[in-house]
Amino acid sequence: MREYTGVTVSEGLVMGPVRRIDRGVSGLGRLIHDRSKERALFDAAVVLAKDELRGLMEQADGDERDMLRFQLVMLDDQALLTEISNYIAAGAGSAAATERAGQIFARRIRDLPDEYLRQRGADVLDVCSRVVEILDGKPRQKLELEQPAILAAESILPSDIISIDRGMVLGIATSKGSAQSHAAIVARTMGIPAVIELGEEFLKHCDGHEAVLDALEGRLILDPDETLQQQVRRQREEMAREKARLAGLRGTPCITRDGVPVSLLANCSEPGGIEQAVAEGAEGVGLLRTEFFLMKGSIPDEEEQYYFYSSCLAAAQGRLVTVRTFDVGADKLVEGMMLPEKNPALGLRGLRFCLERRDLFQDQLCALLRAAAKGPMDVMFPMVGGVMDFRMAMEEVEKAKANLRMRGLPFDENLKFGCMIEVPSAALCAAELAAAGAAFFSIGTNDLIQYTHAVDRMDARLDMYYKADSLAIQRMIAMTARAAREAGIPVCVCGRAAADPKIAPLYVKLGVSSLSMASQSLMDIKEVLLNTDLSEVPSLA
């Protein structure tokens, strides 16, 4: 047996044969035609690549469709197309030009400070590889597996996963990779165990061998002996029983041992994710992210947004959906819409950006007001700094309502608007925000921790200062919850800490009435809360 240690990006435990994906070296023996013909060949390949992507989108859902849509947008990206055109004009063949431009473009993206955009480097390489294979006479074919297998490669591209029958992929093992890559995100969404950073030596020996992929401990064992195989079978049986047991909690009301009810909600980005969350037992959507429209470089009009929000409400099947208005800025940049800032974390973020770009804000508010007539919906503003911000946002809401009345379009006159509490100033004036008309609070702990402790949450060196249960954060949450209770409005936590079994009970004890998290964590947190007596939870606040 040979064991290789890596990093888990999607938990699970599987056993089976390994199938290595080896893309090899493309383009050997290419003929280079004159520049006009090379450009014509490239244009034709782009058309075929778009057709392939649209075909894959019909099979995909959730984050997968989101990723494919981004790749489709990249094929119209003027910066990338100009880069390729320049290489063709300089005498390079269309395939070589696409390869080179794609690598350079992906490298630029990976060097950006924005983590979201860095993740898109793999998508650029993926879509450029698709075009190159078409130019080389090797249109992208669906990878066929004769039997379920663990996929192995230097790195897995998102479309590698999406194009394969899901039941045939036991797990994913790579010699390199990133926990934040879109392939990792797709693996987690699909529930496929995955381990990355196993090293180059692993790839030399893995193809065709039996293996245990232990994505609980972050390791892969080639050629497991019978003793290990029996251990894995027993552990998988125990895991299956545990999963079935937790599934039995879905219909159980979430009430602590001492009788405090807690609503468990899901963080989602699109209708497919909402459907999954409902199946996992979510009582509603505590955070619907909307900025993905802008992150792809497209500017959605009111109608496009209206249909999207309506689809999200339909997917929720009558459950409340809480929508966050566009939350961009800092590490979520919108190309072509935002000017460089010396300190973007303290710049035009969230609501500040919306108030700067009121044309976009008005389209979104009109779409939300119209969609809200179709089902239960709340709307919240991110990065509210104080009462003035909230009042300015509500003035825009009134303008949107007047616009819809003038156009004779139906909308929800009573749609509720709330505040995200993400900066200390908002927590400190929570009572005043409630008095100004905020219908609810949603505490975004990811940013609240960052701003309270003056810590860049993207800098791993500062992890010791990034504490979700510090005395300061406890006081901020308690202060916000007290203001909500006195005003008779609900308060939710939608940050990452809501899914931490050690911290979630503390937040509930501090007065939080609901927790919103990734749907996979819902039943784990429910079990913790069902077995918790809040009087026994220690707190410093």
Side-chain angles (χ1 to χ4, degrees):
M1 295 191 299
R2 285 166 290 181
E3 181 173 326
Y4 302 90
T5 303
V7 177
T8 293
V9 296
S10 181
E11 290 191 348
L13 177 65
V14 292
M15 182 168 57
V18 177
R19 169 74 181 275
R20 179 178 175 179
I21 300 175
D22 188 358
R23 297 182 177 86
V25 180
S26 63
L28 296 178
R30 287 173 179 152
L31 293 176
I32 299 178
H33 305 279
D34 63 73
R35 295 168 187 173
S36 60
K37 186 170 183 179
E38 288 294 338
R39 180 58 202 238
L41 288 169
F42 171 74
D43 290 341
V46 168
V47 171
L48 289 173
K50 287 180 177 179
D51 288 342
E52 289 183 9
L53 288 169
R54 292 189 185 102
L56 286 172
M57 285 177 67
E58 292 177 0
Q59 307 167 28
D61 55 24
D63 289 332
E64 306 156 35
R65 188 184 293 119
D66 180 28
M67 179 273 297
L68 292 167
R69 188 182 291 112
F70 174 83
Q71 292 193 13
L72 201 57
V73 169
M74 285 305 304
L75 290 178
D76 289 319
D77 185 271
Q78 287 306 309
L80 178 60
L81 295 178
T82 299
E83 193 104 34
I84 295 170
S85 297
N86 289 341
Y87 286 127
I88 293 175
S94 53
T98 304
E99 283 178 334
R100 185 172 182 184
Q103 290 166 359
I104 292 172
F105 207 81
R107 192 178 305 121
R108 288 176 186 165
I109 289 177
R110 287 168 175 166
D111 288 339
L112 291 172
D114 171 26
E115 178 63 24
Y116 178 90
L117 293 178
R118 285 203 301 269
Q119 296 168 15
R120 295 299 194 180
D123 292 328
V124 174
L125 291 176
D126 198 358
V127 75
C128 287
S129 295
R130 184 179 298 278
V131 174
V132 168
E133 289 185 358
I134 292 172
L135 288 166
D136 284 340
K138 298 183 297 183
R140 188 82 77 129
Q141 297 294 324
K142 181 177 180 180
L143 177 62
E144 298 290 347
L145 296 176
E146 296 178 357
Q147 60 180 322
I150 298 168
L151 295 185
E154 181 177 286
S155 61
I156 297 287
L157 297 174
S159 59
D160 289 330
I161 307 172
I162 296 171
S163 63
I164 302 172
D165 182 347
R166 297 185 183 192
M168 300 296 279
V169 183
L170 295 176
I172 294 169
T174 66
S175 61
K176 298 181 180 179
S178 165
Q180 303 304 322
S181 71
H182 268 77
I185 293 170
V186 170
R188 286 193 289 270
T189 300
M190 294 172 63
I192 300 173
V195 178
I196 63 172
E197 297 183 23
L198 288 163
E200 294 297 330
E201 190 67 22
F202 140 75
L203 281 181
K204 297 177 182 177
H205 308 290
C206 67
D207 196 33
H209 288 252
E210 288 291 314
V212 169
L213 182 65
D214 184 351
L216 301 172
E217 300 294 332
R219 60 181 185 153
L220 181 139
I221 302 101
L222 287 179
D223 303 316
D225 60 21
E226 184 59 33
T227 300
L228 179 58
Q229 291 184 42
Q230 290 179 3
Q231 290 175 355
V232 169
R233 292 188 190 103
R234 285 195 296 270
Q235 190 172 354
R236 282 176 54 81
E237 289 172 0
E238 292 172 5
M239 291 169 63
R241 286 193 292 270
E242 178 65 8
K243 183 176 181 180
R245 185 183 67 80
L246 285 174
L249 297 177
R250 290 175 185 169
T252 303
C254 187
I255 303 174
T256 65
R257 275 201 350 249
D258 50 331
V260 177
V262 185
S263 295
L264 295 184
L265 312 171
N267 298 339
C268 302
S269 299
E270 39 69 47
I274 295 175
E275 291 173 359
Q276 178 183 343
V278 169
E280 293 282 353
E283 298 174 43
V285 177
L287 167 62
L288 178 65
R289 306 177 183 92
T290 62
E291 56 275 1
F292 78 92
F293 278 120
L294 302 181
M295 299 300 293
K296 293 177 179 58
S298 62
I299 302 178
D301 61 20
E302 179 185 321
E303 288 302 312
E304 184 179 354
Q305 292 190 62
Y306 166 68
Y307 286 117
F308 172 77
Y309 304 137
S310 298
S311 298
C312 289
L313 289 172
Q317 301 173 33
R319 295 166 177 81
L320 178 66
V321 175
T322 302
V323 183
R324 180 177 68 189
T325 57
F326 294 141
D327 185 17
V328 295
D331 61 340
K332 291 182 285 186
L333 305 178
V334 179
E335 188 176 353
M337 292 188 198
M338 309 185 75
L339 296 174
E341 296 180 283
K342 290 182 179 180
N343 194 339
L346 302 179
L348 286 176
R349 293 202 53 192
L351 181 59
R352 299 173 184 178
F353 171 82
C354 290
L355 293 173
E356 182 78 8
R357 287 299 307 268
R358 301 193 185 210
D359 54 332
L360 297 176
F361 197 27
Q362 277 297 308
D363 280 348
Q364 183 174 40
L365 291 173
C366 286
L368 288 168
L369 285 161
R370 291 171 58 194
K374 292 181 170 293
M377 177 193 287
D378 286 346
V379 175
M380 59 187 179
F381 304 123
M383 198 66 180
V384 172
V387 172
M388 181 185 71
D389 287 348
F390 181 73
R391 286 177 175 161
M392 291 172 68
M394 291 308 295
E395 287 174 5
E396 293 300 312
V397 171
E398 292 305 316
K399 290 178 185 176
K401 288 181 177 180
N403 181 326
L404 293 172
R405 291 189 195 100
M406 182 180 66
R407 289 190 281 157
L409 295 175
F411 66 94
D412 183 0
E413 283 275 7
N414 300 311
L415 178 59
K416 294 179 180 178
F417 290 85
C419 293
M420 290 200 72
I421 307 297
E422 299 175 285
V423 295
S425 61
L428 291 168
C429 64
E432 287 75 13
L433 283 168
F440 61 93
F441 293 141
S442 183
I443 303 174
T445 50
N446 298 349
D447 273 325
L448 185 61
I449 297 165
Q450 170 175 249
Y451 291 122
T452 299
H453 292 291
V455 173
D456 182 352
R457 61 190 177 107
M458 306 301 290
D459 192 337
R461 298 171 301 171
L462 302 175
D463 282 352
M464 65 178 291
Y465 300 105
Y466 191 85
K467 300 297 183 185
D469 59 350
S470 71
L471 174 59
I473 293 301
Q474 289 188 56
R475 286 180 174 168
M476 290 286 178
I477 291 176
M479 184 182 303
T480 303
R482 183 166 53 252
R485 183 171 60 253
E486 291 174 354
I489 62 177
V491 57
C492 176
V493 167
C494 65
R496 212 173 280 132
D500 188 328
K502 296 178 181 178
I503 298 176
L506 172 59
Y507 287 175
V508 175
K509 180 174 182 175
L510 293 173
V512 170
S513 52
S514 60
L515 301 168
S516 190
M517 64 200 74
S519 60
Q520 305 94 290
S521 301
L522 287 166
M523 292 306 104
D524 290 320
I525 295 300
K526 177 178 280 191
E527 181 176 49
V528 169
L529 292 172
L530 288 173
N531 291 301
T532 296
D533 184 323
L534 296 179
S535 66
E536 299 172 359
V537 176
S539 64
L540 302 174

